[in-house]
Amino acid sequence: MCRAWLLWAVVSSLASGEVLPAPASGDANSIPSALTIGPDLGTGAITIRGRNARQQLFVTGVGASGELRDFTHGVSYSAVPDDVVAVDASGLVTPLRDGEAAVRATLPDGPAAEICVRVEELSTERPISFKQQIVPVFTKLGCSGGGCHGKASGQNGFRLSLLGFYPDDDYEFLVKESRGRRLFPASPGESLILQKALGNSHGGGQRLQADSYEYRLICQWIEQAMPYGGSDDPALVAIQCLPEARVLERHAEQQVTTTAFYSDGSTEDVTRMAVYESNDSDMAEVTNHGLVSTRDRVGEVAVMARYQGQVATFRAAIPLGADTSAMPSARNLIDEAVFGQLKRLGIPSSLPCDDATFVRRVYIDVTGTLPTASEVESFLADADPAKRDRLIEQLLDGPAYADLFANKWSMVLRIKKRSGDELSASLAFYRWIWSSLYENKPYDRFVREILTASGNADTHPAVTWYREVDEPNEQVEDVAQLFLGVRIQCARCHHHPYEKWSQDDYYGMAAYFSRVGKKSVPRAPAAVRDRRVYHAVGLASAANPRTGANLQPAALGTGAIAIPVERDPRVFLADWITAPDNPFFARALVNRYWKHFFGRGIVEPEDDMRATNPPANPELLDRLAAHFVASGYDLKALVRTICQSQTYQLSAVPNAFNAHDKQCFSRHYPKRLPAEVLVDAFHQVTGTVPVYPGWPAGTRSMQVADRDVASYFLTVFGQPQANTACECERLQDANLAQSLHLLNNAEVLASISHPAGRAARLAAATDRSTDDRVRELYLWVYAREPDSDELQIAREHLTRHASSPETAYGDLVWALLNTREFLFNN
């Protein structure tokens, strides 16, 4: 009961910032001074070609100050003459006959606008292309999704390729399998494919209506004897969302149109055939017709459009509109990009953090340790305006910086426990990583030495990576995810559902690793074997298992290259990866490090960078990556730049306007201490020495390279086991087991009450005042002094239990360790 009261009292004394409601949006009912109709593809008119074509319009109102707002669903439409096209209330134009018409959009009590619409080839019977027109229907309706017929085994005897990426296979499955019983040309409406989609005895339920566009299109295709399409048909090369970006109010709408571009120069409106998805449904939602609706949260949101393997995005900025004139001054390029976005959005940042918060934050983030009480006192007493920059430099120069980041890299490079010579190789690899970081080896050289490693671990420790990641598919996937920020795993079996990467892209990358040779040679003593990696001379290639094509090496987004048989293909891969103009390499690294310091990547997740997962602040990512390249891939310079920025040094306490910001970095986002940092911090506070089997006493958990030498403490707080290259393996979520461990675990309680621990030492220091001893403890735990309420609570508790001071101080240590302020880096 005593400890429970103390914990409640301590937690209750911690201050919390009051968050006020955000201000209301501007007037959404104002009448614009002019209207425009889009999409405008530069021709001055819209052309609709064929009876199955249609066109989605969007209408934009232009305000007196130049602001733009969507009025697509707020105007009335008419066409002159009225027998060429029909326009419904949503702005969808459908053809009636060949000819030209002026489509007019009129706002009640407001302006109007016109656009010319041409209709061509309406009477021409154009063959419907299965791969260009029918396959998108299955994708739109969800038939070819991974949860339905698009999974590997299909569903109820019928399968399709995932999201229609392989139309040849889909045609075979639909037209030729089961003796063609799914299609009935004599009576298309009786075809099983349509009857099922209407919901008749269909496990997937009703997918379309009998009077829908999709139903009529499939019927017409069956009537035409199910043409596949010719080899000379124009190929889809890209899609585009218009408008590409807009500033929207909260609870506003924006109609987006999606246009497909083909290899013959033609275009087609595919707005209602594309598939849409918002990257943040708390900020905006999107209908299957491309209508974007913003919600109450502010920031920037992206909506993905996907059509036949091509992707495009629409970006919306949703400003708050608050006064940002009192924001801190920018110190470097990071602040210019972050504060620039905040000003555009009208989100004022929090104030800079105080010195106590900064010193604890930067110690944890750069070294993985807490500052000592004396280090905190010295820093707080220093009046030099440049003391923060000086501290950053001091921490970067110390070995603890290498301890922290070697631990980070060894996890994703999959260093694990081995026995005998393999344990020696693991430790050699870990020490190589540590030395590379401590000596500030340029990152491009660090990566190159891993990718091109040959020999044995004694002379080239980086070859150990090829032991841990010993299959070509693992090498492709780890390299892409670690060094390029691309999750290419999906493309191993099928076209990536959210990216442009195909199986050919995957196996083109795999070809670079096709000549990696490995052998194990006995050496003295007999139980030890020399495991070597070498370049096996020969032609580099990899087979696509679906097509059987033998592919030459090809980097992502580039063409295949012929590599002489005597040359190591990995050198060519390293040349491409580390080239200054590589579109992935520097961006992936700076995003990974940004996540370390801010708890959220500029792109999140930090190793899933793709067109359909755009950055929260594109300017920030681009400028930081360019700065990293210009620095010569200097990792310490990158850390220095981040830590010196005002953005990093903002307070975590929200102001009246930014409490709901989760992506614009208007304040510091508190993050829970990683398992190893937390365990080391626990031992620092309790003044005890950690012991790990096989490692010298006092070795910090951050320095233990053997993942199997772990305590339950580390496990329960989410230490990864280095089984994958994904940082998501580290669990950062809080759970009940963690709380119970800190509250009641016998090992934890024994450390707190250790006879040589901090509680015992404070209790024995009777020559010092109670206030002085409590002050020291707060400096260790929080890097700050206690406030008057906290000090009074501690005094009362220590006085009440003056007969057992060691227990009383132990109670105080226990209470402080169980607070959020200790468990989080704020």
Side-chain angles (χ1 to χ4, degrees), residues 328-329 331-332 334-335 339 349-355 357-359 361-362 365 379 385-392 594 597-598 639-653 665-668 826:
S329 299
R331 293 195 67 196
N332 60 22
I334 289 174
D335 300 330
F339 293 171
S349 73
S350 294
L351 297 172
C353 67
D354 58 28
D355 284 343
T357 300
F358 174 78
V359 69
R361 180 187 297 173
V362 77
D365 283 345
F379 184 79
K387 66 180 181 180
R388 294 192 180 189
D389 289 352
R390 197 172 67 246
L391 177 59
I392 294 167
W594 186 272
F597 286 97
F598 288 89
V639 173
R640 182 184 302 113
T641 301
I642 291 174
C643 293
Q644 287 181 345
S645 69
Q646 280 283 27
T647 303
Y648 175 74
Q649 297 181 23
L650 292 175
S651 170
V653 178
F665 311 104
S666 62
R667 57 189 171 88
H668 192 79
N826 296 296

Side-chain angles (χ1 to χ4, degrees), residues 271-611:
T271 301
R272 302 209 173 190
M273 295 304 292
V275 177
Y276 300 94
E277 183 180 353
S278 169
N279 74 336
D280 190 336
S281 58
D282 289 337
M283 293 182 66
E285 295 178 329
V286 59
T287 70
N288 58 4
H289 291 169
L291 180 62
V292 178
S293 301
T294 61
R295 304 184 71 180
D296 195 54
R297 275 186 49 200
V298 300
E300 292 198 1
V301 64
V303 170
M304 170 190 74
R306 185 177 72 245
Y307 179 76
Q308 290 302 91
Q310 298 291 330
V311 293
T313 55
F314 161 76
R315 292 185 66 93
I318 309 169
L320 181 65
D323 181 15
T324 60
S325 60
M327 285 174 56
S329 299
R331 293 195 67 196
N332 60 22
L333 62 95
I334 289 174
D335 300 330
E336 291 168 1
V338 171
F339 293 171
Q341 183 186 58
L342 293 177
K343 290 176 180 177
R344 290 193 299 273
L345 294 173
I347 304 176
S349 73
S350 294
L351 297 172
C353 67
D354 58 28
D355 284 343
T357 300
F358 174 78
V359 69
R360 187 177 193 267
R361 180 187 297 173
V362 77
Y363 261 87
I364 291 172
D365 283 345
V366 177
T367 70
T369 65
L370 296 179
T372 66
S374 60
E375 287 170 333
V376 174
E377 284 185 305
S378 176
F379 184 79
L380 297 182
D382 190 345
D384 184 356
K387 66 180 181 180
R388 294 192 180 189
D389 289 352
R390 197 172 67 246
L391 177 59
I392 294 167
E393 208 63 46
Q394 171 192 325
L395 298 179
L396 284 172
D397 287 342
Y401 157 78
D403 290 340
L404 175 63
F405 283 91
N407 177 275
K408 180 183 181 72
W409 278 107
S410 66
M411 291 294 184
V412 293
L413 289 169
R414 303 215 236 174
I415 296 180
K416 290 184 261 185
K417 179 182 179 180
R418 300 287 174 169
S419 60
D421 62 318
E422 293 189 328
L423 174 58
S424 174
S426 293
L427 295 179
F429 190 23
Y430 175 83
R431 294 187 187 108
W432 178 85
I433 295 170
W434 189 96
S435 297
S436 297
L437 294 165
Y438 183 71
E439 296 164 4
N440 202 28
K441 180 183 293 181
Y443 178 64
D444 59 336
R445 185 153 65 91
F446 174 78
V447 172
R448 176 180 292 276
E449 290 177 7
I450 294 173
L451 292 179
T452 62
S454 294
N456 61 30
D458 292 341
T459 55
H460 298 89
V463 301
T464 305
W465 183 73
Y466 282 97
R467 185 201 67 199
E468 302 293 352
V469 187
D470 60 354
E471 295 295 332
N473 63 288
E474 294 179 325
Q475 291 154 6
V476 170
E477 293 165 13
D478 279 28
V479 164
Q481 191 164 351
L482 274 177
F483 306 132
L484 304 175
V486 175
R487 295 184 180 182
I488 201 172
Q489 291 90 329
C490 295
R492 181 182 179 189
C493 300
H494 51 75
H495 197 294
H496 196 298
Y498 301 118
E499 258 286 16
K500 60 184 178 181
W501 311 126
S502 66
Q503 283 183 284
D504 281 354
D505 293 311
Y506 183 99
Y507 291 99
M509 282 286 285
Y512 283 108
F513 298 99
S514 62
R515 307 310 305 173
V516 175
K518 287 167 279 190
K519 60 184 175 182
S520 181
V521 181
R523 66 179 185 182
V528 176
R529 302 182 70 82
D530 185 8
R531 304 183 185 278
R532 302 188 179 198
V533 172
Y534 64 96
H535 166 231
V537 174
L539 181 65
S541 64
N544 182 327
R546 191 184 74 85
T547 64
N550 215 33
L551 304 173
Q552 291 182 306
L556 296 180
T558 69
I561 60 172
I563 298 176
V565 295
E566 70 277 5
R567 298 291 304 279
D568 189 340
R570 297 175 300 162
V571 174
F572 291 81
L573 177 62
D575 288 343
W576 173 75
I577 286 179
T578 61
D581 60 351
N582 184 293
F584 310 104
F585 184 59
R587 290 162 58 90
L589 187 280
V590 300
N591 191 57
R592 185 180 293 274
Y593 269 47
W594 186 272
K595 171 73 172 281
H596 171 83
F597 286 97
F598 288 89
R600 185 204 190 281
I602 306 170
V603 174
E604 182 67 22
E606 72 276 13
D607 53 9
D608 190 15
M609 304 176 75
R610 47 187 163 85

